[in-house]
Structure formats: structure tokens, C-alpha cells
Amino acid sequence: MLKRFEEVLLELSYVFNRYEKQISRFMFYMSLVCFCYVIFHVGYLERKQLKVYYSYEIILKGVFYFLAVLNGLFLTVSVIGYKRLRIPHYASLFVFVYFFLVALGRNSNIDLLEFFKGPEWIYVGVAIIFVAELSKNSLLFDNFYFNPTILFIISYLMLIFIGSGLLMLPRASSHGISLSFIDAMFMSTSAVSITGLTVVDVSSQLSFYGKFVIMVLMQVGGLGIMTFTGFFGYFFSGGFSFKNQLMYGEILGETKLGSVVSTLLKIIFITFLFEIIGGVLIFISLEDYTFNSVGEKVFFAAFHSISAFCNAGFTTIDGGMTNTLFRHNYGLQLALTFTLIFGGLGFSLVNNTYIYFKTKLTALVKRFVLHKQHIYKPQVFSFNSKFILTCNLLVIAAATLFFLIFQYDGALLEDESLFGKFSASFFMANSARSTGFNNMHVATLGAPTLLLFSVLMWIGASPGSTGGGVKVTTVAIAVLNVFSLAKGKENIELYKRKIMHESVQKAFAIIVLSFVAIGISFLLLVITNPHLSSKTLIFESISAYCTCGLSLGASQDLNSAGKIILVVTMFVGRVGLLTIIVALIKDTKSRTYKYPTEKIMF
């Protein structure tokens, strides 16, 4: 019997080696069908009206066990085929253990596994298989001769339409009434582009399912769908091909091909680490009496931590932070502020800061504990990190100070203590840069404060971060160039370094294109929505393009044409107008000649 079993396994191994790609493709399409079925099953409230209602649970269980057996069989023959454990085998083994625990919990009386009897664990299992297979197949994009920039844009468009479809399901609404396509697309685009503008009240009009969809869209949109699929694809497929490394290197802005995988893993690790820390701080700052259960409190903390780190600005609080239960919760506001600041600093700066302190700590340990000589490495804290950090510190300090001065005798009168006034100012000044949380009604603020908010939204966060705007470094380069010209210098000099002319040209191109995009959006909004004030519409256009989310209340009053205009504006602002232009008209032909130069009169 044992010999026959070994022969069967060897035959299966042979089949696997020969038809590996076909089997993988079959798994993908089966998981896609099953995942769509789960979405259909979960998304509809009135299932009892369907004739097949009683077969739903049986089919769903069958789908779950079918995928479990298929995954286990695939894992077994794969291990036998390669005759060793590879990276994707560990990932598949984790999935198999998950399926085994859920199946055991649902079909046994073990008290320890009682937790797994809920139907939501079946949904998660099917989703895990689908994500795994989708990630594997996402690495096949290198077979198509797409410009990685175009692929980056297409991935965002796909995510927006998928999110729109999910939000249109009846269960996404708290009242069981499906959102219109325009409203669903607006909310999906706002979440994917991490903007935060809304046309429906998230707290009252979206169900738990709808809020969960928004949370997932924020997370994936904040990091980029290609980052996520690349991360899971690496583990479930076993690595990157050379073409994969080239593609993801351009998407991630990594020039060293050997560092693509490590950069990808660091981005995911940093994101989850700070979101977990932010979630814990938010959870601690909350009062128990404001929630019906611990689970509701945990979801609130997770939702707002993701929203803050991704600089999205969505909230499940009725009325936002202006709600009386949260308006003076300074612990919550400070937790959100620091989370969104770290999200807006950029992954390269956070990683470089970690390396810097790690190097310093290692030097101290070697010198005073191990009594060894430490080899000094120059430029541990890179030029870009110094520049980005300096720019952020200046903007944070100036924005907080100006808001405190403008609203000290205004909206900040509600905050009795000096600490309260500073906390509220610190929160609003940083939120206005890219996130869009607000602990006071923006429409009631004076013109100087609204102008300050407009400038902060336009400046935005750091390059390589989840934040929007034209980025602090872009504005800083433009300002430094003005001073350099005033001093009669041909180049910008900073930290004993000379800034490349290419960087200066790109900075001014981004600034000019931002004015063009905001201007066109504002003009179209004025034409399509003449009943709204110009001040409201220009503020909304800046907020949409800079993916901030602060609003004077115009979004919900826009007609369908106005909503579509803002949808396009948010998408262009998230992807970048310069990125779109480069993707469409980039000239890759190299020229061996140069034209004579001329001097333009100004």
C-alpha cells in the first residue's frame, strides 16, 4: 500500500512539473469564481428573496473545502516536484494550516477552536486563496510590454472600479439601499486616492461591510496595488524574475535591482509597524463608554490608524472630530497626528532614520561594551533625508504657529487650557497638509485660516509617502532657486552639495502642472455647478487635486457632473499629472546631436 502511495505521489509530481503553469492558472480562475461568489453572498442583504437561498451555505462550504483540498494537493505535489522546501511552500503551508484550523473548529467540539465557527472565517479563507493566486499572476505582467508607469496607472483604475462595485452592493449601505454608481465611484476614488472627500456620510450611511471596504481601499491605495501584489506574489511564487525586478524597480523608484525585494519588504514592514503602533495609541486614548463592545473599539482604532497613516482622512465618527465625545480628546488627536506625520514623512526617510540610529547604537555598544573599534560610514543619514526632514520640521512648526495665532480668539476658544489649544492647532495644522481630519467646522473659519489651509494642502507631504500635494521638497527647491537667482548664483547649493538642474526643472514642472490641473478643475466646477460659491469650489478643487480631503461642504451638494470632475481630479492628483504625461508622450529615442543654446529675455 505504501509503495503504491509513493507511486501515486511520483505520478502527481510528474504531472505537476509538466503542467505547473496550467495548474496555477486553473487555481487562479477557480479562486476568482469562488471569490466572486463570496462577494455576491456577503454583499446582498435580501438573500431570502432568492430561490437558491437554502443552497447558499452548502455551496459556500463546498467552495471552502474544495479550495482547501486543492491548496493542500498543490502544496504536496509541489514539494515532491522540487524535492525541497521553497519560499512559496511556507506561504502555502500557512494557508493550509489556516484552512485546517477553521475546518476543525467548525466540525468538532474543541472549546479552544470555538472561535472559528463563524462564517466570516470561511470568507477570509476564500479571500486568502484569491489574493495568493492573484499575486502570483500579477508577476506575469512582465510578459506584456507595458510601460511600468502605464501599468501603475491601470492598477489604480482597476482598484477604483472594483471598489465601486463593492460599495454598490446593498450590504455596503446601512439601510440596504445600493449607492448610485456615481456616488460609489466617488467614494471608491476618494479612498483609493487617499483623499477623504465624501458624498455620503460614512458613519451613518455605510454599514460595517461598507466601512471595511473603505478601510481596505485606503490601505491598498495608500501603498499601491502593485506594491501589495508584488509583496504577496514574492512569497507565493518564490521570487522575482529579472523583468519583475526591472518593473518593480521603476514603480518603487529603486535604482539597484538587487535591492528591489528588500525595499518592497521594508515598505510593507514600516507601514504595518506604524499602523499597529498608531492603532494601539488610538485604542488607549478612547473611552470605553463611547463604544458598545471591545470589537467595535478595536475596529475604530484600526480604521483610524490606517486612515491616518495613509493620510486618507476618513472617519467613522458622526460629525468627525467635531463630535462632542471626541472634540476635547487630546490624546486621540495627538495619536492621530503623530501617525499621519510618520505616514507623510516617506518610507525612505523613516528607513534611513532607522539605519542612522541603528548605526549610532552599534557604535556605542562596540565602543563601551565590546571595547572594539567601530568603522565609521560616511553619509549614513543621506542628503535627501536631511533635506526632507528639515523641510517637514519647518512646515510643521510654521503651520502650527500660524494656526494658533489665527484662531487663538476664534475656534480655539473652546479649548480652555494652553495645552488644549496647542494640541488642537498641532492636529489641524498637520491634518490640513494632506489628511483632512478636522476637529472644528472648516466652513466657519476666517479667510486667513482658509488661505493657510489652501497653501498647506498645496504643499502637501514628503516624496515617497502616502501623502499628497506637490510635496515639500518641490516647494523648497522652487524657493531656494529664487534665492539662488537673487544672489547671482548659477546653481542651488545646500549642505555643501549642488542640486542637479534636472531636479529644479522637475520641481517647476510639477508646480506649473498643479496650477493647470487645479485651474481646469475649478473652471469646470464653476460651469457645471453655478449655484455654489467660487470660494467653496476653488477650495474643493485644491483639496481634491492635493488629495487632502478638507471640505467647505460642497462635495455633497455637487451634481453628477461635478462629482465626476472631482473624481478625475482626485485620480490625477494621486497618480500625478506629470506621471501621466510622461507615460503617454515619453520619447525614449536617444539623440547623438545637440542644438546650439540661446538665452531667453525675462
Side-chain angles (χ1 to χ4, degrees):
M1 178 68 75
L2 183 60
K3 186 177 181 180
R4 177 56 185 163
F5 180 70
E6 290 178 353
E7 290 176 354
V8 171
L9 288 179
L10 287 173
E11 289 176 3
L12 288 174
S13 173
Y14 171 77
V15 172
F16 169 77
N17 287 329
R18 185 169 183 177
Y19 300 103
E20 181 179 1
K21 291 184 178 179
Q22 290 83 345
I23 295 173
S24 179
R25 193 63 58 86
F26 173 76
M27 280 282 290
F28 170 69
Y29 287 121
M30 281 303 303
S31 64
L32 174 62
V33 172
C34 296
F35 182 72
C36 292
Y37 180 83
V38 169
I39 294 298
F40 179 81
H41 176 79
V42 174
Y44 280 85
L45 285 172
E46 304 299 329
R47 295 196 301 268
K48 292 183 179 180
Q49 295 178 2
L50 301 174
K51 294 180 181 180
V52 295
Y53 170 69
Y54 293 105
S55 64
Y56 259 43
E57 296 298 330
I58 298 174
I59 295 175
L60 194 57
K61 290 178 183 177
V63 164
F64 178 80
Y65 292 122
F66 174 76
L67 288 177
V69 172
L70 206 58
N71 178 75
L73 183 62
F74 191 82
L75 172 63
T76 303
V77 297
S78 177
V79 172
I80 295 173
Y82 284 102
K83 297 181 181 180
R84 62 186 178 91
L85 286 174
R86 299 168 64 242
I87 292 176
H89 295 152
Y90 293 106
S92 297
L93 183 62
F94 167 78
V95 175
F96 179 78
V97 170
Y98 173 85
F99 274 83
F100 177 77
L101 290 175
V102 174
L104 193 63
R106 294 180 63 84
N107 297 281
S108 67
N109 295 321
I110 302 176
D111 294 335
L112 188 63
L113 299 177
E114 186 80 16
F115 183 66
F116 288 108
K117 286 195 173 181
E120 62 273 8
W121 298 107
I122 291 182
Y123 308 151
V124 172
V126 175
I128 288 174
I129 292 290
F130 173 67
V131 170
E133 297 303 321
L134 176 65
S135 301
K136 289 179 188 177
N137 284 272
S138 71
L139 299 184
L140 299 177
F141 278 125
D142 61 5
N143 294 328
F144 301 96
Y145 295 97
F146 277 141
N147 183 328
T149 308
I150 296 177
L151 186 60
F152 171 75
I153 295 170
I154 292 174
S155 69
Y156 270 101
L157 286 173
M158 290 175 57
L159 186 59
I160 287 171
F161 282 108
I162 292 172
S164 302
L166 294 176
L167 291 174
M168 288 177 67
L169 294 173
R171 184 164 283 193
S173 173
S174 57
H175 305 296
I177 303 174
S178 300
L179 295 178
S180 66
F181 174 71
I182 296 296
D183 288 347
M185 186 170 64
F186 189 100
M187 295 296 292
S188 178
T189 305
S190 184
V192 171
S193 64
I194 51 177
T195 302
L197 291 175
T198 60
V199 290
V200 298
D201 188 356
V202 176
S203 62
S204 61
Q205 292 182 258
L206 293 184
S207 63
F208 172 79
Y209 172 83
K211 294 170 185 174
F212 183 79
V213 171
I214 292 291
M215 184 173 72
V216 173
L217 292 176
M218 287 190 299
Q219 183 71 89
V220 180
L223 291 179
I225 189 171
M226 294 304 295
T227 303
F228 265 102
T229 55
F231 171 73
F232 288 109
Y234 173 76
F235 282 103
F236 285 106
S237 66
F240 283 162
S241 66
F242 181 71
K243 286 185 178 180
N244 288 147
Q245 293 182 46
L246 287 173
M247 180 178 70
Y248 279 95
E250 186 163 341
I251 290 174
L252 298 174
E254 179 59 61
T255 55
K256 298 179 181 178
L257 291 184
S259 302
V260 170
V261 174
S262 61
T263 301
L264 186 66
L265 297 180
K266 285 177 183 177
I267 290 174
I268 298 293
F269 173 76
I270 289 171
T271 299
F272 288 156
L273 175 64
F274 280 100
E275 285 178 351
I276 291 171
I277 295 173
V280 170
L281 294 176
I282 292 170
F283 185 87
I284 295 172
S285 67
L286 299 172
E287 300 291 343
D288 292 333
Y289 65 84
T290 56
F291 301 93
N292 297 322
S293 65
V294 177
E296 186 179 328
K297 187 177 178 181
V298 170
F299 178 75
F300 178 94
F303 184 96
H304 287 82
S305 178
I306 292 173
S307 182
F309 186 83
C310 293
N311 281 233
F314 280 92
T315 178
T316 59
I317 304 172
D318 185 16
M321 295 296 167
T322 59
N323 189 301
T324 53
L325 295 174
F326 301 92
R327 171 63 180 86
H328 300 290
N329 188 339
Y330 302 120
L332 172 61
Q333 293 179 24
L334 289 175
L336 288 171
T337 305
F338 283 111
T339 305
L340 66 90
I341 286 176
F342 279 109
L345 284 178
F347 301 108
S348 60
L349 174 58
V350 174
N351 182 54
N352 198 184
T353 304
Y354 163 74
I355 294 174
Y356 175 78
F357 283 108
K358 179 183 177 182
T359 304
K360 292 294 182 182
L361 182 62
T362 303
L364 291 174
V365 170
K366 284 187 175 182
R367 182 177 180 182
F368 296 104
V369 179
L370 302 177
H371 303 290
K372 294 182 179 180
Q373 186 177 3
H374 174 68
I375 300 175
Y376 175 74
K377 295 181 180 180
Q379 287 293 315
V380 174
F381 204 69
S382 68
F383 170 84
N384 271 294
S385 296
K386 291 179 184 178
F387 187 40
I388 293 171
L389 184 60
T390 302
C391 293
N392 275 281
L393 290 175
L394 289 174
V395 173
I396 289 172
T400 304
L401 179 62
F402 277 114
F403 185 86
L404 186 63
I405 294 172
F406 290 160
Q407 293 299 322
Y408 192 86
D409 294 323
L412 292 176
L413 287 175
E414 294 184 30
D415 305 279
E416 298 178 357
S417 65
L418 184 61
F419 173 75
K421 293 180 186 295
F422 173 79
S423 298
S425 301
F426 188 57
F427 176 77
M428 281 302 297
N430 283 283
S431 180
R433 290 179 60 194
S434 182
T435 308
F437 288 127
N438 58 293
N439 58 4
M440 51 195 67
H441 297 287
V442 179
T444 61
L445 302 178
T449 305
L450 293 180
L451 180 60
L452 173 65
F453 282 173
S454 299
V455 173
L456 290 175
M457 288 191 295
W458 179 71
I459 292 174
S462 306
S465 72
T466 57
V470 298
K471 304 297 185 289
V472 289
T473 51
T474 302
V475 178
I477 288 296
V479 173
L480 288 173
N481 187 56
V482 172
F483 282 103
S484 179
L485 290 173
K487 293 178 180 179
K489 295 183 177 180
E490 294 184 357
N491 301 296
I492 301 175
E493 297 173 354
L494 189 67
Y495 302 132
K496 297 181 180 180
R497 294 289 188 276
K498 184 176 71 174
I499 307 298
M500 293 175 60
H501 284 291
E502 181 184 350
S503 299
V504 180
Q505 292 174 342
K506 189 174 181 179
F508 276 94
I510 292 172
I511 289 173
V512 171
L513 289 174
S514 71
F515 289 146
V516 171
I518 293 171
I520 293 174
S521 175
F522 169 63
L523 178 62
L524 294 176
L525 286 176
V526 170
I527 294 172
T528 56
N529 292 266
H531 60 285
L532 296 174
S533 67
S534 298
K535 180 185 76 172
T536 303
L537 294 177
I538 187 64
F539 193 87
E540 218 77 6
S541 297
I542 297 173
S543 181
Y545 181 78
C546 299
T547 67
C548 176
L550 284 181
S551 175
L552 296 180
S555 295
Q556 298 182 8
D557 296 328
L558 293 172
N559 55 26
S560 296
K563 292 175 183 177
I564 293 173
I565 292 167
L566 281 191
V567 164
V568 176
T569 305
M570 288 187 290
F571 175 76
V572 171
R574 177 67 179 111
V575 175
L577 185 54
L578 183 60
T579 302
I580 296 174
I581 293 174
V582 169
L584 294 176
I585 63 174
K586 184 177 182 180
D587 186 5
T588 57
K589 296 179 181 178
S590 59
R591 294 186 174 92
T592 57
Y593 58 87
K594 291 183 179 180
Y595 292 114
T597 58
E598 292 289 347
K599 187 174 183 179
I600 302 296
M601 297 179 63
F602 293 99

